[in-house]
Amino acid sequence: MGLRVAIIGAGMGGLACAAALKGQGADVAIYEQAGAFKRIGAGIQMTPNAVKALRGIGLEEALRDVAFEAALGHNRDAGSGAVTNVLELGQRIVDRCGAPLLTLHRGDLHSTLLSAVPSDVIHMNHRLLGFEQDGGPVTLQFDTGASIEADVVIAADGVHSVVRNQMFGTDAPRFTGRVAYRTTFPASLIGSLQIDDRCKWWGPDRHIVIYYTTRMRSEIYFVTSTPEPDFNVESWSMKGDLAELRAAYADFHPTVRALLDACPDVHKWALVVREPLPSWHEGRVALLGDACHPMTPYMAQGAASAIEDAVILSRCLDGVAAGGVSQALARYQATRYERATAIQQTSAQNTWMREKTDFDWVYGHDVWSQTLA
Ligand SMILES: Cc1cc2nc3c(=O)[nH]c(=O)nc-3n(C[C@H](O)[C@H](O)[C@H](O)COP(=O)(O)OP(=O)(O)OC[C@H]3O[C@@H](n4cnc5c(N)ncnc54)[C@H](O)[C@@H]3O)c2cc1C
């Protein structure tokens, strides 16, 4: 029997990790607190580094089937609409970075990842309460009353990670004072309005990113970063007030205002961050994705980084026996820490791509060919 791996959380990172580990014969189980997966109204960008990571799990074609592939990525001044930077996408970015940049519905990315994991591996309605370890197997306690043993535990339980709290003490992530209004809606609602395939409109203290999420341009997504110091609710289902949103963008270019006028509904999400952690692992337990390096969405690298973690973790655990797990997790951290932290810190600055930007270090990276530490 292969290494017994317990993954906490069936989000982007947890599923990618399970898919990568299954591919090398590990005995994987995922424990997810939710009773069912919901398709929430959000888009997501998979930049070339993320697409390359998913290619190695065999998911590139499935992604390309559903996702939109823009030819250009515009950055514009919010008031005048003047172009401040253009990223050449399509075949140009494939030639330069080895994979396309895809935009898609978040639910479609999740479903694609889910398709790579046998359903009997996922245990829904299992909320982790805590863990115990003393050098041997790790024991996990769940709210169901179940107690489960594993040779290695991967905590992909998101920004409010229970495992992280147990390892480093409980503290709340820091609210940035900004919220993301976001929604997906049918492109038919904008009528004859002409929009870029993918554009970030930069205002002095706020921005909006707009792109298509389906191959046939049938659905539009936008996400903002809007100052709102008094709001601090992080919820994928919390509704936002359309009138407040439109008022916050009243100074933006007519194209943005027309798009917001056409939008029927919006959600609202408080943007939170954490400072980089000193360590991502303890004994046979490791953190992955937002559990260890949550970041602002300004570089579109949160899920990409979780997926990169998953690949490196699977490579570090490949062929390792239970006694070697702790060393393999140290190797995972040593391989991933510098890059993930650099992206986390660069993202926080919110200047990525506004003007001409060196992006090769992010998009050109390939976690499958990277040398392990
Ligand atoms: C507005 C916005 C836009 C974004 N856009 C992009 C983008 O374009 N590109 C990109 O790469 N990233 C983007 N991100 C970031 C991305 O969404 C996250 O970084 C990514 O979802 C992190 O994946 P994860 O697997 O670490 O955590 P999650 O996807 O949050 O998954 C955590 C899972 O763990 C489960 N869980 C939590 N606690 C427990 C427990 N105790 N027991 C069992 N299960 C538990 C949760 O239910 C959940 O299913 C964006 C984020 C936001 C907020």
Side-chain angles (χ1 to χ4, degrees):
M1 193 172 71
L3 203 61
R4 292 173 303 165
V5 185
I7 298 175
I8 312 302
M12 304 304 181
L15 289 176
C17 192
L21 286 165
K22 282 300 279 181
Q24 60 197 39
D27 175 14
V28 180
I30 308 184
Y31 300 95
E32 165 59 48
Q33 66 182 0
F37 297 119
K38 294 196 184 101
R39 188 178 167 88
I40 41 131
I44 197 155
Q45 305 189 51
M46 284 285 96
T47 50
N49 51 312
V51 174
K52 279 181 280 185
L54 293 170
R55 176 184 295 160
I57 308 174
L59 294 177
E60 181 177 7
E61 288 316 310
L63 276 186
R64 281 182 178 239
D65 280 349
V66 288
F68 180 65
E69 192 177 341
L72 296 170
H74 282 91
N75 289 267
R76 292 182 184 273
D77 176 76
S80 67
V83 174
T84 59
N85 187 23
V86 182
L87 177 61
E88 293 191 311
L89 298 172
Q91 192 55 41
R92 293 290 186 103
I93 197 94
V94 176
D95 293 343
R96 182 163 172 164
C97 296
L101 189 153
L102 304 173
T103 56
L104 68 166
H105 196 288
R106 196 183 159 90
D108 287 335
L109 175 61
H110 194 265
S111 303
T112 304
L113 287 164
L114 208 51
S115 71
V117 180
S119 56
D120 61 352
V121 161
I122 306 177
H123 306 272
M124 305 298 288
N125 287 310
H126 274 69
R127 185 164 67 86
L128 182 79
L129 301 178
F131 67 90
E132 281 170 27
Q133 62 173 337
D134 60 4
V138 186
T139 306
L140 298 165
Q141 288 94 30
F142 292 92
D143 64 346
T144 55
S147 179
I148 286 151
E149 211 176 70
D151 296 320
V152 52
V153 174
I154 313 300
D157 51 346
V159 66
H160 298 289
S161 170
V162 165
V163 177
R164 180 202 172 280
N165 285 348
Q166 182 171 335
M167 281 162 67
F168 296 104
T170 308
D171 70 347
R174 183 169 58 79
F175 175 47
T176 57
R178 311 181 68 81
V179 300
Y181 287 94
R182 50 164 192 81
T183 193
T184 52
F185 61 96
S188 57
L189 293 181
I190 67 168
S192 58
L193 182 70
Q194 294 295 309
I195 60 167
D196 297 316
D197 280 351
R198 173 180 175 271
C199 186
K200 183 164 179 176
W201 297 80
W202 297 79
D205 68 345
R206 63 201 64 200
H207 70 243
I208 181 166
V209 178
I210 304 167
Y211 55 77
Y212 292 103
T213 56
T214 56
R215 193 170 170 179
M216 304 308 287
R217 290 196 177 84
S218 58
E219 186 179 70
I220 294 171
Y221 170 65
F222 70 76
V223 59
T224 75
S225 172
T226 314
E228 205 169 313
D230 298 330
F231 180 84
N232 191 3
V233 182
E234 246 187 312
S235 156
W236 287 108
S237 55
M238 165 76 79
K239 292 281 172 128
D241 184 316
L242 273 174
E244 279 178 25
L245 167 64
R246 288 171 185 150
Y249 288 80
D251 293 341
F252 271 50
H253 189 272
T255 300
V256 174
R257 298 204 312 265
L259 185 122
L260 293 181
D261 284 345
C263 148
D265 191 19
V266 74
H267 286 81
K268 191 174 177 182
W269 167 279
L271 293 171
V272 300
V273 287
R274 281 187 189 280
E275 298 307 318
L277 288 174
S279 173
W280 295 357
H281 73 101
E282 188 180 270
R284 294 194 188 187
V285 180
L287 304 170
L288 176 154
D290 277 6
C292 52
H293 46 63
M295 55 186 80
T296 59
Y298 306 151
M299 274 171 83
Q301 286 301 311
S305 295
I307 293 166
E308 287 194 356
D309 288 348
V311 170
I312 295 293
L313 195 45
S314 72
R315 289 183 58 204
C316 290
L317 287 171
D318 196 10
V320 168
V325 164
S326 182
Q327 204 180 351
L329 299 184
R331 196 176 190 205
Y332 152 67
Q333 175 179 325
T335 307
R336 284 292 299 149
Y337 191 86
E338 189 179 326
R339 173 174 170 80
T341 304
I343 290 176
Q344 193 183 16
Q345 291 172 333
T346 307
S347 187
Q349 293 164 13
N350 195 18
T351 53
W352 184 251
M353 294 290 174
R354 180 177 193 149
E355 311 285 344
K356 200 168 163 29
T357 303
D358 166 22
F359 56 83
D360 291 318
W361 68 278
V362 178
Y363 298 167
H365 192 75
D366 184 349
V367 275
W368 289 102
S369 59
Q370 178 183 1
T371 305
L372 301 177

